Structures are given as structure tokens and as C-alpha cells.
Amino acid sequence: MAINFDSLPTTKPVGSLLPVGFAKATITKAEMKTPKNPGKDYLALTLDCVCADGTTGKLWDNLFDSDKSLSQYKLMRFITALRLNLVGDFELKDLCKVVTGKQLIVDIGIDEKGDRPRNTVEVFKNDIYYPINEWAALTGADQAQPEIAANDADDVPFTMGESQGTDATDEY
């Protein structure tokens, strides 16, 4: 098939945004990344989302090792939503090993800053992340609706590596 250069768009198309609200999400990728500006590495998540209206799409989020209260609360909600029964100290890199493939509910918002709107995890409105089994309670969805398979979280606590102190800064 030939491509006609003259018919190609000259402006960047605006991607379709997921609707604001709750979505079922599967963590498809969890990896540690190094920031462009000096700072501590962070956990970068890729989430495949299914919204209440059936809209699907990807969402990206970051978790930071920070002493800031909002970052710590967000991390606690993430661990609680996945029903990870952690004991002792851990490092973010340890979570990479256990969260891929897990499911949770995420509160989606829209960030209007920048050159175009983009989806983001809503951290100021509700409780950010929720266990997958709270879908009906959060959305009023019929219990008979098909659900994403429930988390395969076991109730056995495990201990992760010893945590180091932090002097990380982030947007929270």
C-alpha cells in the first residue's frame, strides 16, 4: 500500500481520554526508573484500564520513596488495594517483583496542565486505589456484572529487603 505524504496529518492528534471516575485496572508493567533530574529512582506503573462505561485504555502512574505524606499515603493505598500483606521494611524495587498482573481499582482524573490534557491517577478527590472487590460499592454496578478475576493475593505475610532512608523529592 502506498502512503500519500500530502494526506498525512500536520498536527499531532489528541488521544482519546479515559472518563473521569473509577476503572478496573491490571498492572501490566512495573519497573524502576531513574528521573531525568537528580533524585531517587521511582516505581513506574503501566495499567490496562476498563471503565464503568466499557471504555478501555492505558494509564501510567509513578510511586515514589518519599517522606512526603501524600506520597506515603498513595503508596499505602496501593499496597492495601492489592492486598499485599507486607511485614517489615521494603524497597520500591521489591514491589516490581510482586505487582505485575495484579488487579485493583484506580480513580482516574484529567491533568489539564501542559500542551494537551492527559489522564492521571486522581490523588486529591477520593482514596486513589481500591481493592478490586469494591467495584460494585464504588460504581453502583450490578453485582451480576462480569468482574475482572479477583486478586490472587494470599494472606501470608512476607518480609522484603531492608529499607534505606530517603531524601527524595517529588511532585507531592
Side-chain angles (χ1 to χ4, degrees):
M1 178 174 116
I3 299 173
N4 182 335
F5 179 77
D6 296 328
S7 67
L8 295 175
T10 57
T11 59
K12 188 178 195 179
V14 175
S16 59
L17 294 173
L18 294 169
V20 170
F22 300 110
K24 296 176 186 177
T26 301
I27 301 166
T28 57
K29 191 173 187 179
E31 64 181 338
M32 294 303 294
K33 290 193 174 182
T34 301
K36 292 177 184 171
N37 297 326
K40 292 189 84 170
D41 290 352
Y42 59 94
L43 177 59
L45 302 170
T46 302
L47 307 166
D48 279 351
C49 297
V50 179
C51 300
D53 67 357
T55 304
T56 61
K58 290 198 181 290
L59 183 65
W60 292 269
D61 194 24
N62 300 322
L63 296 171
F64 298 92
D65 178 4
S66 171
D67 59 358
K68 294 187 178 183
S69 60
L70 186 56
S71 290
Q72 290 178 351
Y73 179 73
K74 182 178 177 185
L75 180 59
M76 183 279 304
R77 289 297 305 165
F78 179 75
I79 291 167
T80 301
L82 292 177
R83 295 190 173 154
L84 298 177
N85 194 2
L86 302 180
V87 176
D89 294 338
F90 69 95
E91 295 183 21
L92 284 178
K93 68 180 180 180
D94 296 325
L95 290 178
C96 292
K97 304 169 191 171
V98 296
V99 300
T100 302
K102 298 281 188 184
Q103 298 169 332
L104 68 158
I105 297 169
V106 62
D107 193 0
I108 297 175
I110 296 179
D111 182 357
E112 299 284 346
K113 295 181 276 182
D115 59 343
R116 63 184 182 148
R118 65 179 180 90
N119 282 119
T120 186
V121 172
E122 177 59 66
V123 295
F124 297 109
K125 190 173 168 188
N126 296 302
D127 282 331
I128 311 167
Y129 292 113
Y130 304 83
I132 195 73
N133 65 348
E134 292 184 16
W135 180 252
L138 291 168
T139 63
D142 182 2
Q143 290 282 21
Q145 250 186 335
E147 293 282 334
I148 293 178
N151 271 339
D152 188 27
D154 44 5
D155 294 327
V156 179
F158 59 96
T159 304
M160 297 181 128
E162 187 173 338
S163 178
Q164 302 296 321
T166 179
D167 58 358
T169 58
D170 56 46
E171 60 188 89
Y172 305 117

